[in-house]
Amino acid sequence: MTQTERGIHPSAEIHPTAIVAPGAAIGPGCRIGPFCIIGAEVTLGEGVVLDSHVSVDGIAEIGAGVRVSPFATIGHLPQDLKYKGQPTRVVVGAGTMVREHATIHRGSVGGHGVTTVGPDCLIMVNAHVGHDCTLDHHVILANNVMLGGHVAIADTVFVGGGAAIHQFVRIGRQVVVGGMSGVEADVIPFGAVMGNRARLTGLNLIGLKRRGFPRSQIGTLRAAYRSLFRTAGAFQGRVEATEAAFGEDPVVREILAFIRADSHRGLCRAGREMLEDEDAEAEA
């Protein structure tokens, strides 16, 4: 259902205690539970389920099959003092699950005006997605994760419980962020970070294996990682040396492109690392 096709589909089920503002677009098969509040500019796709006490406001587009648990809020005002009621948006992709007390704020005028959560994400209990954040496919935010505004997270990323990610940070695809970490700089694709202030601890080897990366490519990635973060010399020189040695590999090229892209926060660098443990995991 689009913004021009407003109204409640006849097959939608709406509890009598729910409040749906005139003008909201409620798609076929939606179920809106007790005490939910739906704003006039909200669009719910087919089969969306709002369990109870859910509040969706502003220009909000909720994709097909999304399920939202009690006391979660989507599309409310950004926590940005520059925001004065401008028509910014939030988009939640199909199949995503938003658990209890999670908050996803609409975009701000200081950003690109839209907060986006991609399809098939899992936003766990009490997690916060700040204004103008972008989450790609299959992102998992564990309990109590906090994303500042303008955070960009690529697909298949896991952020552990209680982690905090600074505004404008970029997280590359298939990264794992350890629980309770404070991430204040960009994390390369396939990396693993941990700590307060978080540092790279190696590659997300478990994730690479689960996603079916061949052993040969994992070996190339590990060699490229060592070249970038475990050798001496100026970092720019290490980037160039890594490209010369491993630049034919498409995944290494992805990491190098991420490093060279514009950044507000700089790059998360490697901290103390147990290479022997990483070697043992790679051999398993």
Side-chain angles (χ1 to χ4, degrees):
M1 188 174 289
T2 69
Q3 289 287 348
T4 58
E5 298 171 327
R6 314 307 295 174
I8 300 173
H9 193 274
S11 66
E13 300 178 16
I14 301 176
H15 193 275
T17 62
I19 299 173
V20 179
I26 311 300
C30 287
R31 290 190 287 125
I32 299 176
F35 303 104
C36 292
I37 301 176
I38 310 300
E41 297 180 287
V42 171
T43 300
L44 302 186
E46 182 175 358
V48 169
V49 176
L50 310 182
D51 285 337
S52 72
H53 298 83
V54 173
S55 180
V56 187
D57 197 20
I59 305 173
E61 302 171 26
I62 312 300
V66 168
R67 183 158 192 159
V68 187
S69 295
F71 299 102
T73 67
I74 299 174
H76 285 258
L77 303 179
Q79 295 178 137
D80 181 352
L81 295 176
K82 299 183 296 297
Y83 182 77
K84 304 300 180 184
Q86 295 88 345
T88 57
R89 301 185 299 130
V90 62
V91 177
V92 178
T96 284
M97 180 176 291
V98 182
R99 294 303 304 266
E100 297 86 347
H101 297 277
T103 54
I104 303 172
H105 287 176
R106 71 180 79 157
S108 72
V109 292
H112 46 273
V114 59
T115 301
T116 304
V117 176
D120 298 313
C121 293
L122 172 57
I123 313 300
M124 293 191 194
V125 172
N126 210 46
H128 172 66
V129 179
H131 61 82
D132 301 283
C133 287
T134 301
L135 280 61
D136 286 349
H137 302 169
H138 302 287
V139 172
I140 298 176
L141 306 182
N143 296 349
N144 301 301
V145 165
M146 298 168 284
L147 304 185
H150 312 275
V151 169
I153 301 182
D155 63 352
T156 326
V157 168
F158 175 80
V159 184
I165 300 181
H166 196 286
Q167 58 261 39
F168 290 102
V169 161
R170 298 178 301 139
I171 306 291
R173 74 180 177 108
Q174 205 160 310
V175 163
V176 59
V177 176
M180 304 298 291
S181 293
V183 183
E184 57 183 359
D186 299 345
V187 182
I188 61 167
F190 315 104
V193 295
M194 170 101 44
N196 177 21
R197 307 286 193 246
R199 292 292 181 264
L200 281 167
T201 60
L203 294 171
N204 182 12
L205 293 173
I206 293 174
L208 288 166
K209 293 172 186 175
R210 286 176 176 172
R211 295 290 165 181
F213 280 70
R215 290 175 64 91
S216 60
Q217 188 162 59
I218 292 175
T220 299
L221 275 172
R222 295 181 70 246
Y225 178 87
R226 284 192 174 93
S227 176
L228 284 167
F229 297 107
R230 306 304 297 177
T231 57
F235 186 67
Q236 183 56 42
R238 284 181 273 157
V239 170
E240 293 171 359
T242 302
E243 182 171 41
F246 308 104
E248 295 300 316
D249 185 276
V251 180
V252 175
R253 288 202 303 271
E254 179 181 340
I255 293 173
L256 295 175
F258 182 93
I259 290 170
R260 288 168 168 155
D262 292 339
S263 171
H264 290 272
R265 298 295 305 167
L267 196 67
C268 186
R269 302 297 180 89
R272 188 171 59 186
E273 181 179 25
M274 296 296 290
L275 289 178
E276 296 83 359
D277 290 348
E278 188 178 287
D279 289 336
E281 287 185 10
E283 294 298 325

